[in-house]
Amino acid sequence: MPIVHQPVEDDALFEPDPAVVRAARAGDSSAFEELVRAYQADVWRLCLHLVRNEALADDVTQDAFVRAFRFLKRYRGESKFSTWLFSIAHNCAVDEIRRAGRRRRTQELLHAQRPAEPQDPAASMEIRYAIESLPIDLRAPMLLIDIFGLPYREAGRILKLPEGTVKSRVHRARVSVAEMLEPKQKRANDEI
Amino acid sequence: MRSELRCDDVRVELSARLDGEIDARTEELVVEHLETCRECRAHEERLQRIRHSIRVQPSPRVPDLTRSIMDRVASRPVGRGFAWPQIRTAAIAAAATALIVLGASLPGSDAPPDTARAAEIVRSIKTAARTLTSYHATFTVTELGWHPDVLRRRFSSEVWWRAPEKFRLQVRDLTVYPNADWPHNDIDLIASPRRYRIEEPSTCPTAALPRCSVFQGVETRTIVDRQPFDGNSRLPTDIALPLETLSSAEGLEVVEPGTYLGRDVERVRLPVAVALPLLRSIQVGGDWRAFHLRDRVELWIDRATWFPLRFIVTAGSSSDRSLWAQRMGYVSDRPGAELLDVQATRFSESNDFDPALFRSRVEGAVLDGGFTAQAVPGDLAAGVAGLEPYRVGSVRSQTISTFATGMYFLKVTSDRDRVGSAADLIDGSVVKVGEGFGLYHPASERSARKIDLFTRRGRTTLETNLPRTQLLRIAAPMASGSVIPSKIDGVLRLTETHLARTKALVPSWMPEGFVRTSALMSTADRTVTITYQRPETSFAGIRITQTPLVRRLQPTAEQTIAIELDDVVARWSFERSELEWIDGNVYRAVATSGGDLATAVQIARSLR
C-alpha cells in the first residue's frame, strides 16, 4: 500500500492514504510499517531539535511510534494524522526532557554544571546553538513553524496551545535567537 | 502620526506576516505603522534575516529506525539499562561538565578459574539440551533496591515448556506496596508454535512511580501466524536449561559444589554481562530493576538434570558502579549487596500438561507474523545435524525450513532479496564457510546465533542455538559461491589494510572473551565503527566510533560526567553508556553497555 502524497494548502507535512491508516488501526503491521517509513524522518528531526541529542532522538522517536501504535485504535481522524503523530512525539520528547531535568538536578547537587559555549562557531553551529538554548516552550513552536513550515493552527493543535499563543511565542523565539546571534546589533537597537 | 497599534503588537504581527498568518485588516494597520516607525522596520529586517537563517539550516542525516521500531512494536524490549545504544554514524559532540577523575582499575579474577570443570559443565548442558523435551518449575523471586520507596519485592513464578515451542510463564507480584497507586508486576506469557501472547503492566519509568502522566494499566500483545523460532518473540528457555548463558566456558568461575533441596549442585560465578540470557528469562516483560554489567551472578545448577535451581545477583564493587547506581536511583545498592535471588521450589521433567495451558486468545495489539505453513517436502524428511524436520513455510519473499530436537533448533531462511541492510554488517563478522564466505552473528537478544550467506540464488540465513562450530559445519555445503557484499547502504566493510589507512585507532586491550566482529566506514562522513563481541552469545557488545574532522563536542541535554583520560577530558553519557572525546581533530567514542564506564575507560586508554 503506497503512502499517497495529498498536499493540502499551506501544509508542509503530507498526509497518508486513509486506507493505510485504517489498515494499521486494524492491526496490519505492514501498514503501520508504511507509516513508520513515511514519517520517521520528520518525527526524528522534531525529536532531535527538542531533545538536542541524536541518540536520545533515536530513542524518543522509537518511543513515539511505539506509543502511536498502542494508541492508534483511539485515533478517530478528527485531526490530521501528521498532527496526531507529532503531538505524540512532542509529548514523548517533553517527558524525556523532564526526566533528563530531574536527573540533572540530582547531578547538580554534586557537581556544578555549565554547558560550554562554542569557541569558534561556524554560522550554522551558532544558529543551532542559539535555537537549542531556547526554553522548550519557545523552541517547540519555532521548530514547527520555521523548520517544518506548519501553519499556526496545526502547531497549536500539536502543542495544545491557542493560535495567538503560538504566534507570540514564535515571535519571542525569533527575537531571542536574534539577540543571541547579534549582540552588537541588539545593543545598537537598544540605544535607538 | 503612528497607527493605533503599539510597537510591541506590531512586532508580533510582523513575525506572523512572514509566515503568512496575518489577516488583511491587521496587515493594513501594520503597513501604516511601518511607514512612520524606523525601529519596527529594522525589527522586520532582523526577523527576516533570522527566519531565513533558521530555514536554511543544514538538515541532519536521519537514521533509519524502521527495524528497531517494528521490533519494539512486535515485542517491547525488557528492562532498562542494557540497551545496546543505537548505531549512529554521525559524530556527536559534547561540552565538558563536572570533572571526575576515575581511577579505573578493573576487578580481575582473584584465582585462576578451573577451566576443565567449567568446560565439563558447559559440555554437560549441551548434551542435556538434546534430550530435554519438557519442563515445569516454580520459583520464588526476591528483588532488592527496585525503587527508593519499595526496596524489596517478592514474586512467585511458574514456567512450563514443551519442546520445541510451547512455553508458558506466569509471574505474580506478591509485594505489599505502600498504596494502591503502585502497579503490580504481574506477567503472563503464553506461546505456542503459531501464537505468542504477552500480558504485562504498562507503566511509566520506575523513577516516576507511583504517580506519572502516562497511561497505566495492563498491556497485551499478540503475535498471530508467528514464524517458527521468531526472533521478536524468543522463548526464554534458559530458565529451564542455561544453554545460551553457559554457551562458553570462558570467564566462568567454578566454586565449591554444594547441595540444594537435597540435591547435588554445581556452583558457577559469572558476570551479569554473560548471564543476561538467564536473567532475561525471569524478567520477561514487566518492570524490573537493572543490573550493572559487571555485577556478579552465582548460579546453582542441578548435577542430574542441569536445571538452574538458584541464582543470586550481587552488586559489583568497581569504582564507576556507585555513580551508575546513583544515576539509576538505586539508593540501597552497596558493593556485594544482594540484588536478586531466584530459587526453584519445585521442578520436574514431567510433560503431563493440560493442552489448554498453551492456548491463548487473540487480544490487545495484534501483529501478524505472516507465516504460512506448508507440508514438509520429502527431501527434508531426513533432518539436518540430527535435528528432526519441524515446520516449513513462507513469510513474504522468504521461505523458511526449521528443524528441532530437544531444546535445539535450526532455522534456514532463504530470501530472494539478495542484499541485506547495513545493520547486518554491523555486528556480523566475515567467516570462511566451506568454499565461500558468510557473515556470522553471535546469539543476541534479537536472535540466536546465525550466519548469512549471499549467493546468486539470494540470501540464506541459518539460525540456531547449536554451537558456533556446528553451525559453520552445517552451513558449509550451502556456502559455495557466497561472497559478502563490501558495501551496503553507504556503509563500507573495512579490511585490516583499509582500517590501517584510516585515522582510526585500534585498542590494545579488550575485556576477556571479546573478539573484533567488524570494522565499517560510513562513506558519508568517514566515520569508522569497530565492534567487539563474544563469539557464541553476546547480549552486550562494545563499539568504538571514530570520525575525522570533528573539532569539538557539542552541548547535550543528557546527564554526563567528565572523565580525565591522560591529557584530554572525555565525556561519559549515562544514557548511551558511551565515552567520547576529541583527539586532535578526530572524534572518538567507546560505547559499552549497562553503565560499564570502567571498561570504556580502560579501552579508551589502550587506544592512545
Side-chain angles (χ1 to χ4, degrees):
Chain A
M1 264 176 295
I3 296 283
V4 179
H5 182 108
Q6 295 184 330
V8 181
E9 198 185 353
D10 280 337
D11 283 356
L13 295 172
F14 62 78
E15 290 304 304
D17 182 340
V20 175
V21 179
R22 270 200 305 278
R25 278 189 62 199
D28 178 342
S29 60
S30 63
F32 187 71
E33 193 171 326
E34 288 287 342
L35 296 173
V36 171
R37 287 189 193 283
Y39 284 100
Q40 63 165 324
D42 284 329
V43 169
W44 185 81
R45 269 199 295 272
L46 174 69
C47 294
L48 174 68
H49 287 295
L50 291 174
V51 300
R52 303 178 289 195
N53 173 286
E54 292 183 7
L56 269 187
D58 290 358
D59 290 347
V60 174
T61 302
Q62 294 180 46
D63 289 346
F65 278 105
V66 170
R67 216 184 275 191
F69 182 77
R70 202 195 297 164
F71 293 145
L72 198 55
K73 281 206 160 29
R74 298 190 201 168
Y75 172 66
R76 302 265 176 252
E78 293 100 329
S79 63
K80 288 181 190 166
F81 182 80
S82 60
T83 305
W84 180 77
L85 184 62
F86 262 46
S87 177
I88 291 176
H90 175 255
N91 288 344
C92 287
V94 169
D95 284 352
E96 180 53 45
I97 291 165
R98 285 189 187 135
R99 278 199 293 275
R102 270 196 299 274
R103 289 195 294 266
R104 202 163 46 246
R105 277 195 294 282
T106 316
Q107 188 68 12
E108 275 166 359
L109 295 174
L110 296 161
H111 312 287
Q113 273 199 336
R114 193 173 60 84
E117 288 191 26
Q119 300 294 308
D120 54 344
S124 65
M125 273 301 296
E126 264 188 357
I127 289 168
R128 187 165 163 196
Y129 182 78
I131 295 171
E132 290 186 350
S133 304
L134 292 173
I136 184 75
D137 58 346
L138 297 186
R139 194 161 77 241
M142 176 181 242
L143 294 173
L144 294 175
I145 306 302
D146 281 335
I147 309 270
F148 290 96
L150 292 189
Y152 288 5
R153 186 187 63 245
E154 293 306 321
R157 283 184 183 159
I158 289 166
L159 303 172
K160 304 199 172 41
L161 292 174
E163 274 181 57
T165 310
V166 171
K167 180 161 79 176
S168 61
R169 287 192 185 175
V170 168
H171 176 243
R172 270 168 56 206
R174 285 171 179 164
V175 170
S176 300
V177 169
E179 283 172 353
M180 276 185 265
L181 295 179
E182 304 163 7
K184 284 177 192 162
Q185 186 176 343
K186 174 184 181 293
R187 276 200 297 280
N189 286 344
D190 289 348
E191 282 161 17
I192 293 169
Chain B
M1 198 184 129
R2 293 183 186 180
S3 67
E4 299 151 12
L5 287 175
R6 291 182 302 121
C7 287
D8 283 350
D9 301 327
V10 168
R11 290 175 187 189
V12 174
E13 294 301 340
L14 283 171
S15 167
R17 189 161 81 138
L18 294 176
D19 302 317
E21 299 263 3
I22 191 168
D23 61 67
R25 166 82 188 117
T26 313
E27 189 166 23
E28 263 176 42
L29 292 173
V30 166
V31 169
E32 193 181 319
H33 178 97
L34 285 180
E35 281 168 9
T36 57
C37 182
R38 191 158 62 97
E39 298 95 306
C40 285
R41 283 203 303 277
H43 189 84
E44 182 182 36
E45 282 170 23
R46 194 177 174 211
L47 288 175
Q48 275 169 345
R49 267 200 313 278
I50 286 299
R51 184 170 177 275
H52 175 75
S53 310
I54 294 167
R55 294 203 164 204
V56 297
Q57 275 283 292
S59 186
R61 196 148 30 83
V62 178
D64 185 354
L65 299 170
T66 312
R67 209 173 90 164
S68 327
I69 292 167
M70 294 313 292
D71 283 352
R72 278 188 57 187
V73 163
S75 169
R76 211 180 61 187
V78 175
R80 270 179 277 277
F82 291 121
W84 173 277
Q86 291 295 323
I87 298 299
R88 292 164 305 122
T89 46
I92 66 153
T97 57
L99 184 69
I100 289 187
V101 181
L102 188 82
S105 59
L106 288 168
S109 181
D110 299 336
D114 185 344
T115 48
R117 268 175 73 199
E120 189 214 319
I121 292 170
V122 167
R123 254 196 320 274
S124 303
I125 286 173
K126 287 186 169 136
T127 308
R130 210 166 258 282
T131 50
L132 185 66
T133 54
S134 60
Y135 172 83
H136 177 212
T138 53
F139 295 90
T140 59
V141 180
T142 310
E143 184 199 48
L144 295 117
W146 172 71
H147 188 284
D149 298 336
V150 185
L151 290 175
R152 187 183 192 88
R153 297 198 300 172
R154 283 185 55 244
F155 304 88
S156 71
S157 176
E158 189 160 8
V159 181
W160 299 261
W161 172 74
R162 180 183 288 166
E165 288 200 280
K166 288 184 175 170
F167 188 92
R168 182 166 179 155
L169 171 78
Q170 188 172 295
V171 177
R172 291 292 169 266
D173 190 345
L174 309 175
T175 311
V176 180
Y177 288 96
N179 58 50
D181 294 337
W182 295 81
H184 274 249
N185 200 31
D186 294 336
I187 300 152
D188 281 289
L189 164 62
I190 305 176
S192 62
R194 293 186 51 199
R195 195 170 288 173
Y196 174 99
R197 194 190 76 161
I198 184 161
E199 198 174 310
E200 58 179 330
S202 164
T203 71
C204 21
T206 313
L209 290 171
R211 286 197 178 76
C212 63
S213 59
V214 186
F215 162 79
Q216 288 198 25
V218 174
E219 188 178 314
T220 307
R221 295 187 307 284
T222 310
I223 299 177
V224 296
D225 291 335
R226 172 179 180 267
Q227 57 170 284
F229 305 105
D230 177 27
N232 289 326
S233 52
R234 292 189 74 188
L235 305 183
T237 50
D238 260 37
I239 192 65
L241 196 68
L243 186 62
E244 290 298 357
T245 301
L246 300 184
S247 59
S248 151
E250 190 120 40
L252 286 192
E253 186 191 342
V254 183
V255 293
E256 278 306 297
T259 57
Y260 181 78
L261 297 175
R263 302 175 69 99
D264 290 336
V265 293
E266 290 284 2
R267 289 163 61 209
V268 295
R269 290 193 187 138
L270 58 165
V272 156
V274 175
L276 284 175
L278 179 64
L279 296 172
R280 289 282 186 268
S281 68
I282 201 77
Q283 299 185 326
V284 175
D287 181 22
W288 301 87
R289 66 155 296 151
F291 305 110
H292 189 270
L293 272 200
R294 275 180 293 107
D295 288 345
R296 302 290 294 173
V297 178
E298 184 169 311
L299 171 59
W300 303 16
I301 316 164
D302 182 36
R303 264 202 78 89
T305 59
W306 302 98
F307 294 159
L309 298 188
R310 185 176 187 188
F311 48 100
I312 305 158
V313 184
T314 50
S317 56
S318 60
S319 48
D320 58 325
R321 196 192 182 280
S322 56
L323 276 174
W324 172 86
Q326 182 188 26
R327 183 252 163 184
M328 300 295 287
Y330 298 140
V331 295
S332 62
D333 284 11
R334 301 278 178 277
E338 206 171 287
L339 310 176
L340 184 79
D341 186 355
V342 178
Q343 300 184 28
T345 47
R346 269 188 309 140
F347 61 95
S348 75
E349 284 184 54
S350 151
N351 65 356
D352 186 19
F353 302 144
D354 178 355
L357 260 179
F358 303 109
R359 283 189 206 131
S360 59
R361 291 187 303 279
V362 177
E363 283 172 329
V366 179
L367 265 133
D368 187 351
F371 183 73
T372 312
Q374 289 151 15
V376 176
D379 57 339
L380 298 184
V384 175
L387 307 183
E388 306 283 324
Y390 172 50
R391 300 183 77 206
V392 173
S394 61
V395 176
R396 287 185 282 279
S397 64
Q398 302 174 336
T399 55
I400 297 173
S401 312
T402 57
F403 306 86
T405 289
M407 192 171 268
Y408 283 120
F409 75 88
L410 170 73
K411 176 173 173 179
V412 183
T413 306
S414 304
D415 200 331
R416 293 193 297 273
D417 169 19
R418 180 167 185 261
V419 185
S421 70
D424 295 326
L425 289 181
I426 287 164
D427 63 354
S429 53
V430 178
V431 286
K432 185 91 178 85
V433 197
E435 301 288 300
F437 291 91
L439 205 53
Y440 170 79
H441 307 259
S444 69
E445 280 198 79
R446 297 250 176 267
S447 75
R449 64 189 59 81
K450 62 181 183 181
I451 193 158
D452 294 320
L453 304 172
F454 301 83
T455 66
R456 261 175 298 175
R457 293 184 303 277
R459 182 163 98 161
T460 302
T461 302
L462 289 89
E463 184 181 345
T464 187
N465 55 358
L466 286 164
R468 181 177 187 272
T469 47
Q470 220 165 335
L471 170 61
L472 295 179
R473 261 203 307 275
I474 297 168
M478 306 163 79
S480 177
S482 170
V483 181
I484 310 302
S486 60
K487 187 175 166 186
I488 300 180
D489 295 346
V491 173
L492 193 68
R493 196 162 46 77
L494 298 177
T495 61
E496 200 67 39
T497 322
H498 287 137
L499 182 61
R501 281 196 212 126
T502 68
K503 285 195 163 185
L505 300 176
V506 176
S508 57
W509 181 86
M510 264 291 139
E512 189 189 352
F514 280 81
V515 293
R516 190 199 296 172
T517 44
S518 67
L520 306 170
M521 185 167 77
S522 151
T523 51
D525 62 0
R526 309 188 72 73
T527 292
V528 173
T529 307
I530 314 175
T531 51
Y532 295 82
Q533 293 184 314
R534 289 187 166 83
E536 292 280 352
T537 303
S538 201
F539 276 40
I542 291 168
R543 192 186 68 233
I544 300 173
T545 311
Q546 301 174 74
T547 311
L549 302 174
V550 178
R551 280 176 302 159
R552 67 179 168 276
L553 301 175
Q554 209 178 313
T556 172
E558 293 175 317
Q559 187 193 2
T560 60
I561 53 168
I563 303 291
E564 201 172 37
L565 273 184
D566 304 331
D567 54 346
V568 298
V569 175
R571 181 183 71 172
W572 171 253
S573 156
F574 286 99
E575 274 83 353
R576 286 176 280 120
S577 273
E578 189 162 33
L579 185 69
E580 46 194 358
W581 69 99
I582 300 293
D583 178 7
N585 63 351
V586 180
Y587 165 88
R588 305 197 201 275
V590 177
T592 54
S593 307
D596 193 355
L597 170 57
T599 296
V601 168
Q602 189 97 338
I603 295 169
R605 289 204 164 127
S606 83
L607 274 177
R608 298 172 55 78

